[in-house]
Amino acid sequence: MLRITNINYMALRYRPGRTIVPATKDRFTNNLPDLSQLLCVPISTHELDEMTSNMGTIFSNTLEAVAPIKLKKVREKRTAPWYNSNTHSLKKKTRSLERKWRKTNLEVFRIAWKNSMSSYRQALKAARAEHIHKLIENNQNNPRFLFSTVARLTNNQTPPDLNIPSQFNSNDFMNFFTDKIDNIRNTIANVDSTAYNTLASFIAPKDKLQCFTAIGQEELNKLITASKPTTCLLDPVPTKLLKELLPVAEEPLLNIINSSLSLGHVPKPFKLAVIKPLIKKPQLDPSELANYRPISNLPFMSKILEKVVSAQLCSFLQKNYLYEEFQSGFRPHHSTETALVKITNDLLLASDQGCVSLLVLLDLSAAFDTIDHDILIDRLQNYTGIQGQALRWFRSYLSDRYHIVHLNGESSQLSPVKYGVPQGSVLGPLLFSIYMLPLGNIIRKYGISFHCYADDTQLYISTRPDETSELSKLTECVKNVKDWMTNNFLLLNSDKTEILLIGPKDSTPNLVDYNLQLDGCTVTSSTVKNLGVILDSNLSFENHISHVTKTAFFHLRNIAKLLNMIPVSDAEKLVHAFMTSRLDYCNALLAGCPAYSIIKLQVVQNAAARVLTRSRKYDHITP
């Protein structure tokens, strides 16, 4: 039964905010001053910085004039978001009729009260369904938002990453993130600085990338239009409004981007980031700072500039075959699935030949945040052949960067970025892959198979059960990999490095007799989780299928609770977001699994179909 009370009369507080309506675009355009000063081609980096800063000032001042920030009253506990003026008037009418009936005890007022109560509940239900429909429709490609929305509607606990404890302020996070990286750098052993060059040879590419190519208005339009409308605290205008203002803002934006490419300089306003603390896993304790990772939120136009550079750099790497052959991270036509299919196929072939295999999953501590900028520039110059203005652009991109943490309306002190590439940036993952290029040559020297996905590295070797001495190669390889990482300011986390012995079923009982140790890691588990897939010693995927089934049924039960609130079309979107995505993830690995394993996933699909069609539990589902 729906509750009548929807308003909580609590203490009021004030929150700053802008009111942006469809008419804001026209008012903004009419109040925008002359932009001719932003169309002059800058001849120096200082002029480019000044032009970019002026553009931000002009846009932010114009927005302040047409949609100023105002303090709005906000209730500590808000009314239900679907509670509108219509339902409010119906509720007042219902309460009035109730009071008349209780005062006069006349049947006519009782009937009128009951009818009004029914109308109010129907209107409230319709308003709630419409509100939820809009949320799902506008965020159908955002599983994180949908999950938190369903959790609230079904009275489940809100994911902890959405509720950072009030005991922490922005400076607490800023100090923690900075100290963490400094401590990691300090714990890395000091060895010969030239060792990382002697451990791996490289062949300089014949073609060089001397400069980036300027883009045209059509390409800029495509990039901005296709980008997500996410807004950073540093953006002078909201991204959604900027897209509407493209006809008047296009020329100065294009001038700044092309000037950045030609001068080999990244404007200073593009090198400031706002850090968002994001909890690593939903089940972790949100009151522990160590359970958060820093995600950089960059200005929108900074990401557009990075996309321009990334597209040209990827094209150059692809054309000259400079990618690591067994690196699947952030490459066209590569994914976690292609990486896992390659590894699993090799291990299954070895198992069919009666061999046992050893799989090692290396774990790095804050890999993206400890990258040394000088070494990265050396990789770009000597391994990928980037020179001239292009190399100068990357030097500018990595230098003089700053970041802040913004939390609960307060910002931390400004902190310089001394190491690493920004997590959440467009170029960050690609630069990390380039940074790791020499690693493949080190591993190949030992005849060991490997595959990488960003900072996840998988090593594996197969041998006959009576030739286990071959496995010592892996021990020596891991030691040299760790030495190389130490020289490159990457910390191999031995405590979280996982090891799995794999072999035929008849050999499995004897596998534990090997008692292998790799840099202090011993074989202690019969399963490991690799890129979101649970692997066992027989590669049967039974544990993975059970985990997927359990998670899917959890989400299906929550969706079933909402069926009375939402139409079937919205329920289908939730099923695809929460269940189908999990059933489809890396399902190529399940080829060849026995029918009794696959049928568990079919049962999930059947249950989802029954929920959507409101069929009974034992109704035949084929129709």
Side-chain angles (χ1 to χ4, degrees):
M1 181 176 178
L2 295 174
R3 293 188 299 176
I4 300 295
T5 304
N6 282 274
I7 299 179
N8 295 282
Y9 295 98
M10 303 295 289
L12 297 176
R13 61 187 176 91
Y14 292 88
R15 186 185 65 181
R18 298 185 191 274
T19 301
I20 296 180
V21 294
T24 304
K25 171 193 169 184
D26 295 331
R27 293 202 301 267
F28 189 99
T29 304
N30 295 333
N31 283 268
L32 197 63
D34 182 24
L35 300 179
S36 57
Q37 59 173 313
L38 302 178
L39 301 180
C40 301
V41 179
I43 60 175
S44 68
T45 58
H46 175 72
E47 288 185 5
L48 177 59
D49 289 339
E50 188 175 0
M51 177 183 293
T52 307
S53 180
N54 289 341
M55 184 194 69
T57 302
I58 291 173
F59 279 33
S60 59
N61 289 344
T62 305
L63 181 64
E64 185 65 25
V66 300
I69 294 179
K70 296 181 180 179
L71 291 178
K72 300 179 180 180
K73 290 183 178 180
V74 182
R75 298 182 185 277
E76 289 293 338
K77 291 188 178 180
R78 302 179 186 177
T79 61
W82 52 80
Y83 190 74
N84 52 36
S85 58
N86 181 41
T87 53
H88 179 66
S89 62
L90 286 174
K91 179 182 175 181
K92 288 178 65 177
K93 179 181 177 182
T94 301
R95 294 298 300 272
S96 176
L97 289 171
E98 181 185 10
R99 285 192 292 267
K100 287 182 179 180
W101 169 67
R102 295 190 183 279
K103 185 176 181 180
T104 62
N105 207 25
L106 293 177
E107 184 67 12
V108 64
F109 287 127
R110 189 187 72 83
I111 295 174
W113 169 52
K114 290 294 184 181
N115 292 337
S116 181
M117 173 69 76
S118 177
S119 300
Y120 167 66
R121 287 175 174 170
Q122 291 177 6
L124 195 62
K125 184 177 179 180
R128 180 174 60 178
E130 179 64 21
H131 173 76
I132 298 173
H133 169 72
K134 289 181 179 179
L135 287 179
I136 296 175
E137 186 69 25
N138 296 333
N139 299 278
Q140 56 183 323
N141 296 322
N142 187 350
R144 180 184 293 275
F145 181 86
L146 291 179
F147 177 73
S148 62
T149 300
V150 171
R152 286 195 299 270
L153 293 173
T154 55
N155 295 323
N156 289 330
Q157 184 179 3
T158 304
D161 62 300
L162 301 178
N163 288 323
I164 297 177
S166 58
Q167 69 194 60
F168 298 132
N169 59 39
S170 56
N171 284 317
D172 292 333
F173 279 103
M174 187 79 265
N175 294 333
F176 173 78
F177 292 143
T178 303
D179 293 343
K180 177 182 177 181
I181 303 305
D182 288 340
N183 291 336
I184 290 176
R185 298 269 303 195
N186 291 335
T187 57
I188 295 176
N190 293 321
V191 291
D192 185 4
S193 60
T194 61
Y196 76 90
N197 285 326
T198 61
L199 284 172
S201 60
F202 67 92
I203 301 176
K206 295 180 181 179
D207 293 339
K208 308 295 181 182
L209 180 61
Q210 296 285 349
C211 60
F212 295 115
T213 306
I215 63 171
Q217 290 186 357
E218 184 178 354
E219 185 176 351
L220 178 63
N221 270 328
K222 287 182 179 179
L223 284 173
I224 294 179
T225 304
S227 299
K228 294 180 180 180
T230 53
T231 298
C232 172
L233 182 68
L234 305 171
D235 287 326
V237 295
T239 303
K240 186 177 180 180
L241 179 60
L242 180 64
K243 289 187 175 185
E244 297 175 356
L245 296 170
L246 265 184
V248 296
E250 182 180 55
E251 290 190 32
L253 294 177
L254 184 64
N255 185 29
I256 289 174
I257 288 178
N258 285 335
S259 297
S260 172
L261 300 178
S262 62
L263 293 174
H265 177 72
V266 179
K268 286 185 178 180
F270 289 177
K271 295 194 286 186
L272 176 62
V274 179
I275 291 180
K276 175 186 177 183
L278 185 68
I279 200 160
K280 296 176 181 177
K281 295 180 180 179
Q283 63 269 24
L284 295 178
D285 183 7
S287 62
E288 291 289 336
L289 289 174
N291 293 333
Y292 291 87
R293 64 162 57 95
I295 301 298
S296 296
N297 196 0
L298 301 168
F300 178 74
M301 287 311 302
S302 169
K303 290 186 284 188
I304 296 298
L305 176 60
E306 288 189 39
K307 286 183 179 181
V308 173
V309 173
S310 177
Q312 298 187 29
L313 178 59
C314 287
S315 177
F316 174 77
L317 296 175
Q318 188 78 19
K319 178 182 177 181
N320 292 277
Y321 304 99
L322 296 175
Y323 281 114
E324 166 58 54
E325 181 181 1
F326 299 116
Q327 168 64 262
S328 292
F330 306 97
R331 288 178 61 185
H333 313 297
H334 291 70
S335 65
T336 54
E337 187 164 16
T338 58
L340 287 168
V341 166
K342 173 67 170 63
I343 296 170
T344 305
N345 183 66
D346 292 347
L347 295 175
L348 285 173
L349 289 175
S351 181
D352 289 343
Q353 296 171 2
C355 297
V356 294
S357 303
L358 189 63
L359 173 66
V360 180
L361 308 179
L362 301 180
D363 182 84
L364 298 177
S365 297
F368 279 60
D369 299 320
T370 60
I371 287 178
D372 187 85
H373 292 167
D374 291 334
I375 296 178
L376 177 56
I377 292 296
D378 177 73
R379 297 277 193 278
L380 292 169
Q381 186 173 11
N382 296 321
Y383 278 77
T384 61
I386 297 177
Q387 298 180 354
Q389 291 294 83
L391 185 65
R392 183 179 177 184
W393 190 95
F394 280 109
R395 288 185 188 275
S396 175
Y397 175 80
L398 295 171
S399 62
D400 298 323
R401 299 191 70 96
Y402 293 88
H403 53 201
I404 59 173
V405 174
H406 186 79
L407 195 64
N408 298 326
E410 296 182 354
S411 298
S412 68
Q413 74 273 15
L414 205 62
S415 177
V417 181
K418 297 180 288 185
Y419 324 106
V421 291
Q423 292 196 45
S425 63
V426 177
L427 281 172
L430 181 58
L431 292 177
F432 182 83
S433 297
I434 294 174
Y435 193 82
M436 299 288 285
L437 279 177
L439 183 61
N441 294 330
I442 295 176
I443 300 173
R444 288 186 182 92
K445 289 182 179 180
Y446 296 90
I448 291 173
S449 301
F450 72 98
H451 211 103
C452 303
Y453 187 88
D455 59 333
D456 292 307
T457 303
Q458 298 91 29
L459 310 176
Y460 54 101
I461 187 173
S462 302
T463 182
R464 294 286 180 181
D466 55 349
E467 299 176 356
T468 56
S469 59
E470 288 291 313
L471 300 179
S472 61
K473 291 183 179 179
L474 193 54
T475 304
E476 187 176 353
C477 177
V478 171
K479 182 180 182 301
N480 277 348
V481 166
K482 184 177 181 179
D483 290 341
W484 178 86
M485 289 183 173
T486 299
N487 281 278
N488 287 269
F489 299 98
L490 299 171
L491 182 62
L492 181 63
N493 192 339
S494 301
D495 295 334
K496 292 186 178 180
T497 294
E498 296 183 287
I499 304 173
L500 180 67
L501 281 166
I502 301 169
K505 289 185 177 180
D506 53 352
S507 302
T508 302
N510 300 323
L511 293 180
V512 293
D513 297 337
Y514 297 142
N515 194 27
L516 292 176
Q517 289 192 355
L518 291 175
D519 195 35
C521 306
T522 57
V523 182
T524 58
S525 176
S526 58
T527 62
V528 296
K529 194 168 187 178
N530 186 17
L531 299 177
V533 174
I534 301 175
L535 304 177
D536 54 59
S537 58
N538 298 320
L539 294 181
S540 65
F541 295 101
E542 291 182 3
N543 292 281
H544 176 69
I545 292 173
S546 297
H547 175 72
V548 170
T549 303
K550 180 180 178 181
T551 306
F553 273 119
F554 166 78
H555 290 294
L556 184 60
R557 285 191 292 270
N558 284 340
I559 294 171
K561 296 177 184 178
L562 301 178
L563 286 182
N564 292 329
M565 306 181 190
I566 58 178
V568 175
S569 59
D570 289 341
E572 289 177 2
K573 290 184 177 70
L574 294 178
V575 166
H576 287 309
F578 295 159
M579 298 177 58
T580 308
S581 59
R582 285 175 168 80
L583 296 177
D584 287 346
Y585 180 70
C586 293
N587 57 6
L589 299 174
L590 305 181
C593 287
Y596 67 82
S597 295
I598 301 298
I599 199 172
K600 295 179 181 178
L601 302 177
Q602 185 63 54
V603 168
V604 173
Q605 285 189 317
N606 293 351
R610 288 191 176 93
V611 168
L612 293 176
T613 59
R614 299 178 183 268
S615 303
R616 292 178 299 179
K617 183 176 181 180
Y618 296 105
D619 284 349
H620 204 284
I621 203 59
T622 299

